[in-house]
């Protein structure tokens, strides 16, 4: 066989200048290794050096995603620069460029894999890989002598301190996220460990979450939403911006530092989807989320896959603190998330009277029969009266009303009150009780309201037609002035989720030819049942001034002015509605009702041709309109209203005396039931009857001249006719609650304003509830209220797994009296309620006497908790006393905790550690996770030893000390076995050297350690760890399992110390806060040594 020319050498070596002619094969085997050029031993050695172990090799899909994101980043940087230009032509190019990028990815990334691919993109965009180095003006240092440079030496990164957007990579992540966003994204996680940015200089712009959410809103409208999780970490979004004067002062004080706020507003104005972007702070988050759950109409109306909504305090702002906004916000979440399992608003000022809306389909409709109403809702001084079935009620069902009732989904918070407080007000102030107790409901009434009936106004089968349309000529006159018996009613967006109807104000691509006379097709269909989805838009009283052609909706941020002088219970005023402009690219326009919720300048007089309620009609009457002449007074229309006792809740009569009115109430209820035919019908029967009624007697056609806008109903079709006689019937088994009450497992309302009066309702109507969050210290008061109610003396809860308790009953266990108006007229009432609250509350206070009574009260509370909630796994306990009231012998106080067989976690806060030593002695052996927060300066360090002796089985220990120091005994007790199961140790505070030696020597299975400074008596503010200390500690405990080590300001004083720590921690994967006190060649040698370990997966953060 002739010689075969092949290249010589080993793969990876430089190719030779010519081919190597191999000799004839020996033994019929060709040698392709080039043995004549490279020795065998050297070849094996070179191959081992080039061998790189990849633990998590990237797939082809990962490479493709990264390649696309690099391309997208380049285009986005160009787009950002175009938005900052003042040229009108360039700005037009930017708009088209954004749409092209969206169309490009939407056309290529489709199908089943779209969700997972976009989720990977979102994860990479929010990581430290973006914005890239080249778009942050970061440079790598170059060695002058390449021959002298060491390949193992790390390349230094030069980071500019300029806050300008070209040096910080601002808006790059936001723009990339907005383009990738679509309805198929399954989760959005905005946490500190997920969102990393190369913005090192203080004062630079933070990640703008609200502008990203606007693109989620735009992509979700009309599509099937795959969203499953929305998660924010605590304090992720900054608080509200200061007012303009403070902004100007801050800018002037920071000169010559460049302020980038204006550039952010310019970018957000161009990049934000539609007309809904407000601000980049917490206010913007709250606005976007309200629009997401109320105005955006996904296919199927609701977000059926959304199970986790963790907002924390990122929505806490002045807007969220307003009662009407908070009520609407929680109501929409409760309705739109039927499978919600986790809802977290920890650290917000959420009130119980607004949290009610999360659970009820229409809270005010379900509870209004238990409330009091004003005679004239426009006059604060008008007389209050209870719910009365002898007069017309605008909150009860009406067979002729197109939306079933006049005031659907009313944003009116309802305050739950203790039964004894409620009854005391009625007894003590019989004449003024209706005014004092407005918008208040008894706890017992709130609990049974879920099974109560609803009232429906009985009407004839045929409704009169609109006389304005049946006239010979089309007149532009106000139809209200044609007939005295015709009233106008509220109109709602009845078919906002019907894609076949005209586009709503929240839908995209609405025809600009839509006019005010267009009526939705749903009017010609049978009336919807109460179990149908809650409408996306709930419109209140409003007018359409412009009836021809679209007019642009004013940006909402000008209407979102917060009025600090508004009282909490002030209802929102209704403003005229202006149709949204939909031109250019598809956009979102805010719901008109959103402006009503937060606007403070109402329109009082309706324009001609609009729709009005009775309250607005009264304004016209007071101004001398034509209706004043023909309007009958309420006393004329209801001659028996003054003589007949008004019936509260459909049963109770109003009595001016102080005696009990229960017998009279029962007699009136019987008389009312006998007078009404079919007084109570079932829900199924009502649905069937309603369907037959709407089928046999459909809505009348008003337009004689043909269809208008494709429909057959004029703008005045849903005129309301006032009944000549009032007759109600009751509907049984009405679905009052949202579906989420059956799936909710974690409701984190810790740190909120939810008081104990609302907790009985929560515990009874959320069958899967496991936790109410941490530090909701009113839980024991809620249990007491529930156990005092008739029929619940033996109540047991088997689902609850977390409970919070505080010994400060004077703060957390007082009856709520904030419902009394803070005006001079009610000064005496408020003083009386304070006296009654103090008298009825069970508490012992903080006085230095009566220690036995305090211990007895704590034992009774713990016993109530343990006997009621049998399956608790975690207890959050606060012992507030700043003086010693218990010692090691008072174990009987905590013995009821032994009834909790599943208790494994304790979160403990103590003013003095002496008061909880007996607690740890009783329950410590059962604990697996322990958190201790102590607010006192320790003595000889016996506290940590007591923890080690009483808690031998804990795997996680967290100690919070604030500015205190964790001390340890002089005797380290290395001969005993402590903390042998401990895997995670966190000490938030400084640790004395003796305490550090105790912890290091006993935690043999430790995997995670994070502590503050290790100090001594002589140096309380400096880390005193040196190599000799570590050498002695490694002799006691080699820390074979330690994976993460975080010691604050750990100073590496020598090269030997650094290499000693790295070489003696074989399992170390991550370390931080190392300070290299090295110089010259030692730094180079340390980096060279570190680079070898980095190839094995070690991450070290050092300065």
């Amino acid at each position: 066989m002739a010689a075969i020319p092949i290249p010589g050498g080993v793969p990876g070596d430089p190719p030779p200048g010519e081919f190597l002619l191999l000799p004839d094969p020996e033994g019929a085997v060709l040698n392709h290794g080039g043995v004549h050029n490279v020795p065998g031993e050297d070849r094996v050695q070179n191959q081992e050096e080039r061998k790189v172990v990849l633990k998590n090799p990237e797939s082809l899909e990962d490479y493709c995603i990264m390649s696309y994101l690099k391309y997208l980043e380049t285009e986005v940087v160009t787009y950002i620069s175009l938005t900052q230009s003042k040229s009108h032509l360039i700005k037009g190019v930017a708009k088209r460029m954004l749409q092209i990028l969206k169309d490009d990815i939407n056309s290529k990334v489709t199908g089943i894999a779209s969700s997972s691919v976009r989720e990977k993109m979102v994860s990479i965009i929010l990581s430290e890989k973006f914005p890239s180095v080249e778009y942050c003006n970061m440079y790598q240092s170059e060695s002058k002598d390449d021959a002298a440079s060491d390949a193992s030496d790390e390349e230094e990164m030069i980071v500019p301190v300029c806050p300008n957007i070209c040096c910080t990579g601002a808006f790059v992540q936001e723009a990339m996220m907005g383009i990738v966003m679509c309805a198929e994204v399954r989760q959005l996680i905005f946490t500190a460990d997920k969102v990393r940015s190369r913005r090192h200089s203080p004062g630079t712009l933070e990640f703008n979450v609200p502008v990203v959410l606007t693109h989620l809103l735009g992509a979700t409208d009309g599509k099937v939403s795959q969203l499953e999780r929305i998660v924010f970490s605590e304090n992720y979004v900054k608080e509200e911006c200061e007012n303009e004067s403070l902004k100007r002062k801050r800018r002037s004080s920071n000169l010559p530092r460049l302020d980038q706020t204006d550039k952010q507003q310019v970018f957000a104005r161009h990049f934000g989807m539609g007309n809904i972007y407000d601000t980049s702070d917490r206010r913007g988050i709250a606005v976007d989320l309200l629009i997401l759950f109320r105005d955006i109409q996904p296919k199927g109306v609701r977000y059926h896959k959304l199970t986790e909504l963790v907002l924390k305090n990122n929505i806490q702002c002045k807007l969220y603190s307003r009662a009407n906004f908070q009520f609407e916000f929680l109501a929409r979440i409760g309705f739109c998330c039927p499978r919600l399992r986790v809802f977290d608003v920890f650290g917000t000022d959420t009130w119980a009277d607004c949290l009610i809306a999360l659970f009820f389909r229409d809270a005010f409709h379900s509870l209004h029969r238990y409330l009091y109403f004003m005679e004239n809702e426009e006059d604060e001084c008008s007389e209050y009266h209870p719910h009365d079935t002898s007069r017309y009620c605008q909150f009860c069902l009406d067979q002729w009303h197109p939306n079933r009732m006049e005031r659907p989904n009313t944003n009116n918070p309802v305050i739950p009150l203790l039964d004894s407080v409620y009854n005391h007000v009625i007894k003590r102030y019989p004449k003024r009780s209706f005014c004092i107790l407005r918008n208040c409901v008894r706890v017992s009434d709130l609990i049974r309201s879920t099974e109560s009936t609803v009232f429906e106004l009985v009407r004839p089968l045929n409704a009169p037609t609109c006389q304005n349309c049946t006239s010979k000529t089309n007149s532009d006159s106000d139809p209200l002035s044609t007939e005295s018996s015709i009233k106008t009613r509220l109109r709602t967006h009845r078919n906002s989720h019907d894609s076949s109807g005209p586009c709503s104000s929240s839908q995209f691509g609405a025809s600009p030819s839509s006019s005010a006379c267009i009526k939705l097709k749903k009017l010609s269909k049978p009336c919807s049942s109460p179990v149908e989805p809650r409408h996306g838009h709930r419109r209140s009283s409003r007018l359409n001034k412009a009836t021809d052609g679209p007019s642009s909706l004013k940006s909402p941020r000008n209407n979102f002015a917060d009025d600090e002088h508004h009282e909490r219970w002030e209802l929102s005023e209704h403003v005229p509605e202006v149709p949204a402009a939909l031109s250019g690219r598809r956009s979102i326009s805010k719901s008109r009702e959103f402006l009503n919720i937060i606007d403070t300048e109402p329109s009082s007089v309706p324009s001609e041709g609009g729709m009005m309620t009775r309250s607005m009609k009264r304004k016209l009457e007071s101004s001398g309109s034509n209706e004043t002449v023909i309007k009958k007074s309420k006393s004329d229309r209801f001659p028996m209203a003054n003589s007949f006792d008004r019936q509260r809740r459909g049963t109770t009569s109003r009595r001016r005396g102080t005696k009990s009115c229960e017998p009279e109430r029962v007699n009136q209820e019987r008389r009312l039931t006998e007078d009404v035919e079919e007084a109570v019908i079932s829900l199924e029967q009502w649905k069937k009857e309603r369907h037959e009624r709407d089928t046999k007697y459909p809505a009348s056609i008003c337009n004689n001249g043909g269809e208008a806008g494709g429909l057959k109903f004029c703008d005045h079709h849903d005129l309301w006719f006032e009944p000549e006689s009032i007759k109600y019937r009751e509907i049984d088994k009405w679905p009052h609650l949202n579906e989420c009450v059956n799936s909710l497992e974690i409701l984190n309302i810790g740190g909120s304003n939810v008081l104990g009066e609302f907790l009985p309702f929560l515990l009874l109507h959320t069958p899967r509830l496991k936790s109410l969050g941490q530090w909701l210290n009113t839980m024991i008061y809620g249990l007491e209220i529930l156990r005092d109610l008739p029929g619940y003396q033996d109540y047991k809860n088997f689902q609850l797994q977390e409970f919070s308790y505080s010994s400060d009953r004077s703060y957390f266990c007082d009856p709520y009296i904030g419902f009394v108006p803070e005006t001079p007229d009610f000064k005496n009432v408020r003083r009386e309620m304070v006296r009654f609250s103090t008298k009825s509350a069970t508490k012992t206070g903080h006085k230095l006497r009566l220690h036995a009574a305090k211990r007895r009260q704590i034992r009774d509370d713990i016993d109530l908790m343990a006997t009621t909630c049998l399956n608790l796994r975690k207890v959050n306990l606060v012992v507030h006393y700043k003086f010693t009231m218990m010692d090691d012998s008072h174990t009987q106080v905590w013995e009821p905790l032994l009834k909790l067989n599943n208790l494994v976690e304790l979160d403990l806060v103590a003013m003095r550690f002496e008061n909880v030593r007996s607690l740890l002695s009783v329950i410590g052996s059962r604990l697996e996770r322990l958190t201790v927060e102590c607010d006192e300066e320790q003595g000889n360090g016996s506290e940590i030893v007591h923890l080690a002796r009483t808690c031998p089985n804990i795997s996680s220990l967290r100690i919070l000390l604030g500015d205190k120091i964790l001390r340890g005994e002089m005797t380290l007790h290395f001969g005993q076995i402590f903390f042998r199961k401990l895997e995670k140790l966190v000490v938030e505070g400084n640790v004395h050297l003796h305490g550090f030696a105790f912890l290091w020597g006993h935690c043999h299975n430790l995997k995670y350690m994070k502590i503050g400074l290790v100090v001594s008596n002589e140096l309380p503010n400096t880390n005193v760890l040196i190599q000799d200390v570590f050498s002695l500690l490694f002799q006691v405990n080699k820390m074979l399992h330690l994976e993460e080590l975080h010691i604050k300001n750990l100073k590496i004083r020598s090269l030997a110390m650094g290499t000693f720590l790295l070489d003696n921690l074989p399992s170390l994967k991550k370390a931080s806060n190392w300070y290299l006190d090295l110089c010259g060649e030692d730094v180079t040698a340390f980096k060279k040594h570190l680079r070898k370990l980095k190839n094995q997966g070690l991450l070290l953060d050092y300065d």
Side-chain angles (χ1 to χ4, degrees):
M1 181 176 178
I4 303 173
I6 63 172
V10 194
D13 288 344
E18 58 183 0
F19 288 102
L20 175 65
L21 297 178
L22 296 179
D24 293 336
E26 299 178 1
V29 177
L30 280 176
N31 187 351
H32 293 283
V35 293
H36 296 284
N37 288 353
V38 182
E41 296 180 358
D42 296 340
R43 182 179 74 253
V44 175
Q45 183 178 359
N46 293 340
Q47 290 178 351
E48 291 179 353
E49 291 179 356
R50 296 187 184 94
K51 185 177 180 181
V52 178
V53 178
L54 297 177
K55 296 183 179 180
N56 297 313
E58 295 184 350
S59 63
L60 179 60
E61 181 181 86
D62 297 333
Y63 281 111
C64 294
I65 291 176
M66 195 63 191
S67 177
Y68 171 77
L69 292 180
K70 285 291 185 181
Y71 152 77
L72 182 60
E73 183 187 27
T74 303
E75 304 302 324
V76 159
V77 170
T78 305
Y79 169 79
I80 294 173
S81 62
L82 294 179
T83 59
Q84 300 300 318
S85 174
K86 296 183 179 180
S87 172
H88 294 285
L89 296 178
I90 293 298
K91 291 180 180 179
V93 174
K95 291 181 180 180
R96 292 191 293 271
M97 181 178 180
L98 179 63
Q99 190 60 41
I100 290 174
L101 291 174
K102 280 180 169 289
D103 294 340
D104 180 55
I105 187 174
N106 292 335
S107 62
K108 296 179 180 178
V109 184
T110 58
I112 301 177
S114 175
S115 181
S116 60
V117 170
R118 291 178 189 264
E119 188 173 343
K120 286 185 179 180
M121 289 183 179
V122 170
S123 178
I124 296 175
I125 291 172
L126 297 180
S127 68
E128 57 185 3
K129 296 181 180 180
F130 292 98
S132 302
V133 174
E134 55 268 25
Y135 297 117
C136 296
N137 285 343
M138 297 181 182
Y139 300 95
Q140 295 177 351
S141 61
E142 298 180 358
S143 177
K144 296 181 180 179
D145 187 5
D146 295 339
S149 63
D150 194 341
S152 63
D153 189 12
E154 280 191 341
E155 297 176 343
E156 294 290 341
M157 190 73 65
I158 301 176
V159 180
V161 295
C162 174
N164 208 333
I165 61 175
C166 61
C167 296
T168 59
F171 316 140
V172 172
Q173 290 175 303
E174 292 92 324
M176 296 177 68
M177 280 281 292
I179 294 173
V180 172
M181 201 62 59
C182 75
E184 298 170 354
V185 173
R186 290 180 295 187
Q187 61 180 6
L188 291 176
I189 302 178
F190 300 101
T191 58
D193 58 338
K194 292 288 184 181
V195 183
R196 303 183 182 92
S197 178
R198 299 173 185 256
R199 295 162 187 167
H200 299 271
S201 178
T204 53
L205 300 174
E206 300 292 335
F207 186 82
N208 193 340
V209 180
V211 77
V212 175
L213 290 181
T214 60
H215 288 266
L216 176 65
L217 306 182
T220 306
D221 192 77
K223 305 293 182 61
V224 178
S225 177
Q226 303 292 333
L227 195 61
E228 299 176 2
R229 301 175 65 204
I230 300 180
V231 178
F232 287 89
S233 62
E234 192 172 1
N235 295 319
Y236 179 77
V237 182
K238 63 181 180 180
E239 297 183 5
E240 288 184 278
C241 299
E242 310 95 337
N243 53 42
E244 293 300 326
S245 60
L246 293 178
K247 285 183 181 180
R248 289 191 295 268
K249 183 177 180 181
R250 178 173 56 85
R251 293 176 185 177
S252 61
S253 62
N254 288 344
L255 293 177
R257 178 182 292 274
L258 297 176
D259 186 82
Q260 304 297 304
T261 307
D262 296 337
K263 294 184 178 180
Q264 186 179 56
Q265 293 295 331
V266 172
F267 168 76
R269 186 167 60 251
H270 289 85
F271 184 71
M273 194 70 176
N275 194 26
I276 59 179
Y277 175 77
D278 185 34
T279 57
S280 61
D281 52 15
R282 295 179 179 180
R283 179 191 179 93
I285 293 288
V287 169
D288 285 348
L289 290 177
L290 176 63
I291 297 173
L292 176 66
F293 293 114
R294 189 189 62 180
D295 299 316
I296 300 305
Q297 297 294 311
K299 194 172 183 179
V301 180
R302 307 184 189 182
Y303 298 88
H304 291 278
K305 294 188 176 182
L306 186 60
T307 59
E308 186 174 354
L309 186 59
V310 180
L311 304 178
K312 298 290 185 182
N313 61 347
N314 295 284
I315 59 173
Q316 177 56 45
C317 57
K318 294 180 181 179
L319 182 61
Y320 181 78
S321 298
R322 297 181 62 174
N324 48 3
F325 178 89
Q326 187 179 129
F327 189 92
E328 177 77 358
F329 181 83
L330 297 175
R332 294 299 169 175
I333 292 177
F335 170 75
C336 291
C337 307
R339 299 181 182 177
L340 191 64
R341 297 177 59 190
V342 179
F343 183 57
D344 190 339
V345 286
F346 179 85
T348 62
D349 59 351
T350 302
W351 295 81
D353 41 299
C354 295
L355 192 61
I356 286 179
L358 180 70
F359 302 97
F360 282 91
R361 292 176 179 266
D362 189 347
F364 203 80
H365 173 242
S366 298
L367 299 174
H368 81 277
R369 65 185 298 178
Y370 305 102
L371 306 179
Y372 296 110
F373 304 94
M374 288 184 292
E375 189 78 22
N376 180 3
E377 60 266 27
E378 298 297 322
D379 184 8
E380 285 290 341
C381 299
S382 63
E383 182 184 2
Y384 282 81
H385 65 88
H387 185 264
D388 187 2
T389 55
S390 65
R391 67 170 68 194
Y392 175 76
C393 177
Q394 56 192 341
F395 302 101
C396 288
L397 301 183
D398 187 343
Q399 293 181 350
W400 278 4
H401 197 278
N403 198 53
R404 299 198 305 271
M405 69 184 72
E406 177 185 353
R407 297 285 180 90
N409 308 328
T410 303
N411 299 328
N412 204 3
V414 181
I415 310 172
L417 290 184
L418 206 61
D419 286 24
S420 59
V421 174
Y422 196 100
N423 297 334
H424 178 75
V425 174
I426 294 178
K427 181 179 179 180
R428 183 70 173 80
Y429 304 98
K431 295 183 179 181
R432 293 197 294 170
S433 59
F434 296 162
C435 180
I436 298 172
L437 295 174
R438 64 186 187 275
N439 295 330
C440 297
V441 61
R442 289 188 180 96
V443 173
S444 57
D445 291 338
L446 177 63
I447 292 175
R448 69 167 177 261
S449 65
T450 58
E451 299 179 356
S452 63
T453 60
V454 297
F455 291 96
E456 183 184 40
L457 182 64
V458 179
R459 296 276 204 168
L461 296 178
N462 277 329
T465 58
C466 175
Q467 297 187 12
N468 184 57
C469 294
T470 56
S471 59
K472 297 182 179 180
T473 59
N474 293 330
S475 175
D476 294 333
S477 61
D478 187 357
L480 295 177
S481 61
T482 60
E483 190 70 24
S484 60
S485 62
I486 298 179
K487 309 289 183 183
T488 56
R489 311 303 294 156
L490 288 163
R491 293 181 300 164
T492 61
H493 200 78
R494 290 173 296 274
N495 199 22
S496 58
H497 59 274
D498 190 356
S499 58
S500 62
C503 282
S504 65
S505 61
S506 69
Q507 291 175 332
F508 295 88
S511 173
S513 61
S514 301
S515 61
C517 65
I518 294 181
K519 306 305 293 181
L520 298 178
K521 292 182 178 179
K522 193 172 181 180
L523 283 175
S524 60
K525 299 179 181 180
C527 181
S528 58
S529 65
V531 296
E532 285 189 358
R534 176 172 175 158
H535 301 306
H537 294 271
R538 201 273 303 158
R539 296 189 183 184
S540 296
S541 168
R542 59 178 67 104
L543 305 169
N544 293 327
K545 291 186 177 181
T547 58
D548 296 327
S551 62
S552 60
L553 179 62
K554 185 178 179 182
S555 177
R557 76 176 149 268
N558 297 329
N559 296 326
F560 291 179
D562 289 323
D563 190 356
E564 297 181 356
H565 303 289
H566 278 191
E567 292 187 6
R568 173 170 168 73
W569 308 118
E570 181 178 355
L571 295 180
S572 60
E573 300 288 350
H574 302 296
V575 298
E577 177 186 284
V578 183
L582 300 173
S583 59
R585 64 184 178 89
R586 303 172 73 185
S587 62
I588 305 175
S589 63
K590 273 191 193 294
S591 171
R592 278 67 166 172
E593 179 60 21
F594 185 67
L595 300 180
N596 295 336
I597 290 181
I598 56 183
D599 198 4
T600 58
E601 298 180 358
S603 175
S604 58
V605 181
S607 62
E608 182 179 0
M611 308 298 293
M612 70 181 80
T613 59
R614 293 179 299 155
S615 60
M616 286 190 174
K617 189 169 190 282
R618 277 193 290 269
K619 292 184 178 180
L620 290 180
E621 295 166 359
S622 60
S623 60
S625 66
N626 294 333
E627 257 190 296
T628 307
V629 182
I630 59 176
K631 178 181 181 296
K632 295 181 180 180
S633 64
K634 186 165 296 192
S635 59
D636 294 337
R637 293 198 309 270
F638 305 105
M640 298 183 62
N642 295 328
S643 59
F644 183 75
D645 287 337
R646 297 166 181 173
Q647 297 175 356
R648 182 174 173 268
R649 301 179 182 85
T651 57
T652 307
S653 63
R654 175 183 175 183
R655 310 292 295 177
R656 296 186 177 272
T658 59
K659 297 182 179 181
S660 175
C661 56
E662 290 298 320
E664 182 68 19
R665 177 182 64 83
V666 175
N667 294 334
Q668 291 172 2
E669 180 181 4
R670 291 175 180 175
R671 288 197 299 267
L672 177 66
T673 307
E674 292 173 358
D675 294 339
V676 180
E677 297 179 358
E678 300 182 20
V680 180
I681 65 172
S682 65
L683 178 64
E684 297 298 329
Q685 184 180 356
W686 178 83
K687 290 181 182 179
K688 181 179 179 181
E689 179 182 326
R690 187 70 189 181
H691 177 76
E692 294 177 354
R693 182 190 187 103
D694 294 335
T695 303
K696 296 181 179 179
Y697 304 96
S700 303
I701 299 177
C702 295
N703 278 309
N704 295 329
E707 297 185 359
L711 297 176
K712 300 180 180 180
F713 306 102
C714 76
D715 191 43
H716 308 294
H717 172 73
D718 50 359
L719 293 175
W720 177 78
F721 295 81
E722 188 167 355
E724 295 296 336
S725 61
I726 303 298
K727 181 182 293 186
Y728 283 95
R729 65 175 180 177
E730 296 181 78
I731 305 174
D732 194 15
K733 298 181 180 180
W734 187 268
H736 293 277
L737 299 179
N738 287 318
E739 297 178 20
C740 66
V741 298
N742 298 319
S743 62
L744 193 63
E745 298 180 4
I746 298 177
L747 177 63
N748 192 352
I749 51 178
S752 65
N753 295 322
V754 178
L755 302 180
E757 286 83 352
F758 184 62
L759 297 184
F761 174 85
L762 279 179
L763 297 176
L764 292 174
H765 293 94
T766 49
R768 296 186 179 181
L769 187 65
K770 297 179 180 178
S771 173
L772 287 172
Q774 197 173 25
W775 309 128
L776 185 67
N777 296 327
T778 57
M779 293 186 67
I780 194 68
Y781 184 50
L783 281 182
E784 291 178 352
I785 296 174
L786 180 58
R787 294 287 289 264
D788 291 340
L789 293 176
Y792 297 100
Q793 293 83 359
D794 300 326
Y795 170 77
K796 305 289 183 183
N797 189 299
F798 299 96
Q799 289 78 31
L800 204 62
Q801 298 182 6
E802 182 177 6
F803 198 96
S804 297
Y805 171 74
S806 173
S807 63
D808 187 7
R809 294 184 60 91
S810 61
Y811 183 81
F812 296 105
C813 298
D814 274 352
Y816 179 67
I817 60 173
F819 61 93
V820 181
E822 297 182 5
T823 59
D825 297 338
F826 296 92
K827 184 177 180 179
N828 294 333
V829 178
R830 194 168 186 84
R831 186 182 298 112
E832 168 64 20
M833 296 313 301
V834 171
R835 185 195 64 81
F836 180 81
S837 174
T838 305
K839 181 180 178 180
S840 60
T842 304
K843 55 187 177 182
T844 55
H846 287 290
K847 295 183 180 181
L848 297 179
R849 61 182 183 273
L850 301 177
H851 288 182
K854 295 180 177 66
R855 291 192 293 267
R856 191 183 310 111
Q857 182 65 60
I858 294 177
R859 176 182 172 83
D860 293 341
D861 293 341
I862 296 297
D863 184 69
L864 175 62
M865 175 189 69
T867 55
T868 304
C869 307
L870 303 177
N871 294 326
L872 292 180
R873 298 179 59 85
K874 179 182 179 181
V875 173
N876 307 308
L877 187 62
V878 183
V879 181
H880 281 276
Y881 301 109
K882 296 183 179 181
F883 50 87
T884 302
M885 56 165 294
M886 282 185 284
D887 52 30
D888 293 348
S889 62
H890 293 106
T891 56
Q892 69 277 6
V893 176
W894 311 106
E895 285 178 354
L897 289 174
L898 296 176
K899 301 177 183 179
L900 303 175
N901 298 323
N902 299 324
L903 182 62
V904 295
E905 185 174 357
L906 177 64
D907 202 327
L908 183 61
V909 177
M911 301 296 105
R912 292 186 64 88
F913 190 79
E914 293 294 331
N915 291 329
V916 295
R917 292 177 68 94
S918 58
L919 168 64
L920 295 175
S921 300
V922 171
I923 203 67
S925 60
R926 297 188 178 185
L927 299 179
E928 297 178 3
R929 292 176 295 276
L930 175 63
T931 300
V932 179
E933 181 177 355
C934 194
D935 194 34
E936 68 167 342
E937 190 70 42
Q938 298 181 46
N940 57 4
S942 61
E943 295 83 1
I944 188 66
V945 179
H946 184 77
L947 285 175
R949 286 175 176 169
T950 57
C951 307
N953 299 318
I954 58 174
S955 60
S956 174
L957 175 61
R958 182 169 175 244
I959 303 176
L960 291 80
L961 300 172
D963 57 349
K964 307 297 189 303
I965 298 176
L966 178 64
R967 300 185 180 275
E969 293 183 350
M970 295 293 293
T971 304
L972 300 179
H973 304 280
F974 286 153
Q976 302 182 31
I977 300 177
F978 294 146
F979 292 143
R980 289 308 171 98
K981 295 183 179 181
L982 189 63
E983 297 180 353
K984 182 177 181 180
L985 174 63
V986 177
V987 180
E988 297 186 9
N990 298 338
V991 183
H992 194 272
L993 184 59
H994 293 138
F996 178 75
F998 178 85
L999 293 172
W1000 184 286
H1002 288 281
C1003 303
H1004 287 268
N1005 292 318
L1006 197 64
K1007 296 181 179 180
Y1008 180 94
M1009 174 185 284
K1010 181 180 180 181
I1011 62 176
L1013 295 174
V1014 179
V1015 299
S1016 63
N1017 294 333
E1018 295 78 12
L1019 299 173
N1021 298 318
T1022 305
N1023 200 317
V1024 298
L1025 290 176
I1026 58 176
Q1027 183 178 355
D1028 295 341
V1029 174
F1030 280 110
S1031 299
L1032 295 175
L1033 293 177
F1034 272 110
Q1035 295 178 12
V1036 180
N1037 182 7
K1038 297 185 180 301
M1039 285 290 181
L1040 299 177
H1041 306 286
L1042 189 63
E1043 297 178 356
E1044 293 192 31
L1045 177 62
H1046 307 279
I1047 302 178
K1048 185 178 180 180
N1049 294 342
L1050 178 59
K1051 183 180 290 186
I1052 307 300
R1053 306 174 188 272
S1054 63
L1055 177 62
M1057 178 180 177
T1059 55
F1060 176 80
L1061 287 176
L1062 294 176
D1063 294 340
N1064 285 276
L1065 295 172
S1067 302
L1068 190 64
K1069 297 179 180 179
K1070 187 176 182 180
S1072 63
N1073 289 326
W1074 286 27
Y1075 176 72
L1076 301 183
D1077 191 11
L1078 308 175
C1079 59
E1081 296 180 356
D1082 290 345
V1083 177
T1084 304
F1086 179 81
K1087 291 181 178 180
K1088 181 178 180 180
H1089 186 75
L1090 179 61
R1091 189 174 184 86
K1092 296 179 181 179
L1093 298 176
K1094 281 189 174 181
N1095 294 333
Q1096 301 176 6
L1098 175 63
L1099 297 176
L1100 179 60
D1101 181 17
Y1102 63 89
D1103 294 327

